[in-house]
Amino acid sequence: MALRDHGMLLGEAYDDISKWRGNGISPVDLVAEYGADTVRAYLMFFARWELGAPWNSSGIEGSARWLRKVWYNFLEPVDNAQTADKETLKVLRRKVHQTLASVTRDFETFNFNTIVSGLMELLNEMTTAKANGAYGSDAWKEAESIYLRMMAPVTPHIAEELWEKSGHDYSVHTQQWPEVDEAATREDEITLIVQVNGKLRDRIVLPVDVKDEDAKAAALASENVIAYLEGKTPRKVIYVPGRLVNIVV
């Protein structure tokens, strides 16, 4: 599906948003102050459009800050010669493709508020990666390209200008929707809840492919767990893969 098709879909929703609960409030004043893209993004972000909500423009500055941050991160080079390590680039690609997967689903179900929040979260990850030397790398260029295509139906004018300034061919709105790299989305680690007699006592981070016995051993080695056991020998240690370890005393 081309991005322009997403934009048409979003445009229909935008018309509905403007009529929420009989609201007759014109966005003209806000457009004059913040620009059409900021208002458009805020209308999608502040509530689920199909449910409606009492109109309140007080939070629009948050959308404006997001777009200013996008502009800065995409166009302002970093002032250092640091080169990102493999882990930084791997984490960046993981977040990009995880966000792409969720944003794609959300467009299909009209969950526009979570699309915007997902883009905001991804920008935070990109900001961290940029500070750690990822700017200009292949992983950064991929992130930039995917980000602008996800952003285009939300803020079409800014996305188009950033697309052009980043050296891409005209136009972002004629590009194909990006494909998710499923391998890139997979986590390397999991966080397990550790319980003693059913009560939460700790959380431990282990490799995603940890074996049952290793997960149990790590839970038993937890300082918090040792303190709660008070020298008692567990009667049973139950491991629920990927979720928790329950120690029964």
Side-chain angles (χ1 to χ4, degrees):
M1 177 181 288
L3 291 184
R4 58 172 172 250
D5 298 321
H6 285 286
M8 291 172 64
L9 176 151
L10 200 52
E12 295 171 2
Y14 182 84
D15 290 340
D16 288 336
I17 292 172
S18 66
K19 301 171 185 174
W20 272 347
R21 309 273 181 174
N23 271 325
I25 300 174
S26 170
V28 170
D29 292 340
L30 291 174
V31 170
E33 182 175 356
Y34 290 99
D37 278 4
T38 302
V39 175
R40 181 182 173 97
Y42 180 64
L43 284 171
M44 286 182 282
F45 177 61
F46 93 99
R48 290 179 60 181
W49 70 273
E50 78 278 12
L51 297 180
W55 171 248
N56 187 337
S57 62
S58 63
I60 195 171
E61 184 58 37
S63 295
R65 284 195 302 270
W66 165 53
L67 293 176
R68 288 195 293 267
K69 190 175 178 181
V70 171
W71 190 272
Y72 172 82
N73 274 280
F74 280 45
L75 296 184
E76 293 295 325
V78 289
D79 190 21
N80 63 57
Q82 181 179 357
T83 301
D85 56 28
K86 291 182 179 179
E87 184 63 21
T88 295
L89 301 180
K90 185 176 183 179
V91 170
L92 174 60
R93 290 201 74 238
R94 180 190 301 143
K95 184 63 176 179
V96 167
H97 285 275
Q98 287 176 342
T99 303
L100 174 58
S102 63
V103 165
T104 300
R105 289 192 300 269
D106 289 343
F107 267 122
E108 293 171 350
T109 55
F110 291 6
N111 288 320
F112 299 129
N113 59 324
T114 52
I115 289 170
V116 178
S117 63
L119 290 172
M120 290 176 175
E121 290 176 12
L122 175 55
L123 183 63
N124 290 335
E125 187 66 52
M126 292 179 68
T127 301
T128 299
K130 180 179 180 180
N132 290 332
Y135 190 81
S137 66
D138 289 343
W140 178 270
K141 292 175 183 176
E142 178 194 37
E144 177 187 85
S145 174
I146 291 175
Y147 196 98
L148 290 176
R149 282 180 280 170
M150 290 191 294
M151 184 181 176
V154 180
T155 56
H157 308 94
I158 293 174
E160 180 70 6
E161 189 163 356
L162 285 173
W163 184 262
E164 179 182 346
K165 287 181 178 294
S166 299
H168 298 289
D169 294 335
Y170 180 85
S171 152
V172 67
H173 300 293
T174 62
Q175 306 304 308
Q176 289 297 114
W177 190 252
E179 294 185 6
V180 177
D181 182 344
E182 296 292 347
T185 66
R186 299 191 186 105
E187 297 285 351
D188 294 329
E189 297 177 327
I190 54 174
T191 300
L192 297 179
I193 290 173
V194 181
Q195 298 176 332
V196 177
N197 290 339
K199 294 184 178 180
L200 175 65
R201 298 307 183 191
D202 203 358
R203 288 182 174 86
I204 56 176
V205 178
L206 297 173
V208 70
D209 57 352
V210 64
K211 296 180 180 178
D212 292 16
E213 293 306 315
D214 292 336
K216 293 177 183 178
L220 290 169
S222 160
E223 292 183 4
N224 287 349
V225 170
I226 292 172
Y228 280 104
L229 288 178
E230 297 179 335
K232 299 175 184 176
T233 301
R235 292 191 295 109
K236 187 183 298 184
V237 181
I238 304 167
Y239 175 50
V240 179
R243 294 179 57 193
L244 62 86
V245 178
N246 187 31
I247 301 166
V248 182
V249 180

